[in-house]
Amino acid sequence: MASEQRPFRVLGIQQVAIGGTDKARMKTLWVDMLGLEQTGTFQSERENVDEDILAMGKGAMKVEVDIMQPMDIDKKPAVHTTPLNHIGLWIDDLPRAVEWLTAKGVRFAPGGIRPGAAGYDITFLHPKSNEEFPIAGEGVLIELVQAPADVIAALG
């Protein structure tokens, strides 16, 4: 399987998402102490998330650090229960990647391709496999993010 040509490329890390119960405490570390810049916020009742989007680096080399807390600590998804919530990877052709990976038995989380918090199309690989889809993140939630043209040009 490794010798087969895949119709997409992983270009680099787009984001690291960190969950906790107190976004303000995380912000003290990441913004006040480490100097990351806050570039946005995102809230979604459906995804039970209140997040601040932070950034390090510039342009195509920018990497997001998303600090997240649940909007309701008693509801799911529980973004705070896994401190390293997920890792996001830049993908050069997200629709082709999803089609190819699905055909190869990779399990995706519900929701399909959709706009993400930072405005790029995203989808998630499920952290756990099942009988129908035997390949998954082995406990890690992995976000695939459609890279914009400047990132593809810089990293591709």
Side-chain angles (χ1 to χ4, degrees), residues 9 22 32 40 50-51 64 73 82 107 121 144 147:
R9 291 177 299 144
D22 186 347
D32 299 341
D50 175 8
E51 91 182 51
E64 283 181 27
I73 202 156
T82 306
R107 184 178 182 196
D121 283 350
L144 302 183

Side-chain angles (χ1 to χ4, degrees), residues 4-155:
E4 182 178 345
Q5 186 69 29
R6 74 185 44 77
F8 67 92
R9 291 177 299 144
V10 174
L11 301 173
I13 293 177
Q14 185 268 336
Q15 71 174 262
V16 176
I18 301 169
T21 58
D22 186 347
K23 196 174 62 168
R25 289 178 57 85
M26 291 184 282
K27 198 171 187 176
T28 297
L29 172 65
W30 290 97
V31 175
D32 299 341
M33 299 295 109
L34 297 177
L36 274 68
E37 174 187 359
Q38 182 169 345
T39 59
T41 60
F42 177 74
Q43 290 186 330
S44 170
E45 286 187 31
R46 184 176 75 86
E47 296 180 25
N48 191 32
V49 67
D50 175 8
E51 91 182 51
D52 287 342
I53 302 168
L54 313 179
M56 64 177 106
K58 299 286 182 207
M61 301 303 175
K62 180 175 77 174
V63 175
E64 283 181 27
V65 175
D66 296 345
I67 53 175
M68 309 182 311
Q69 69 183 33
M71 293 182 82
D72 183 335
I73 202 156
D74 297 319
K75 289 187 178 177
K76 301 280 187 206
V79 298
H80 63 292
T81 59
T82 306
L84 178 57
N85 186 272
H86 65 271
I87 187 167
L89 303 175
W90 286 125
I91 302 294
D92 66 345
D93 189 336
L94 186 59
R96 287 186 63 186
V98 169
E99 179 182 4
W100 190 83
L101 292 167
T102 300
K104 296 293 182 187
V106 174
R107 184 178 182 196
F108 284 85
I113 296 175
R114 59 196 181 275
Y120 307 110
D121 283 350
I122 57 124
T123 193
F124 288 92
L125 273 66
H126 202 286
K128 297 179 183 175
S129 62
N130 63 17
E131 195 171 311
E132 182 181 3
F133 296 100
I135 303 168
E138 295 303 315
V140 176
L141 185 62
I142 301 167
E143 183 174 10
L144 302 183
V145 183
Q146 176 60 58
D150 63 330
V151 172
I152 293 170
L155 300 178

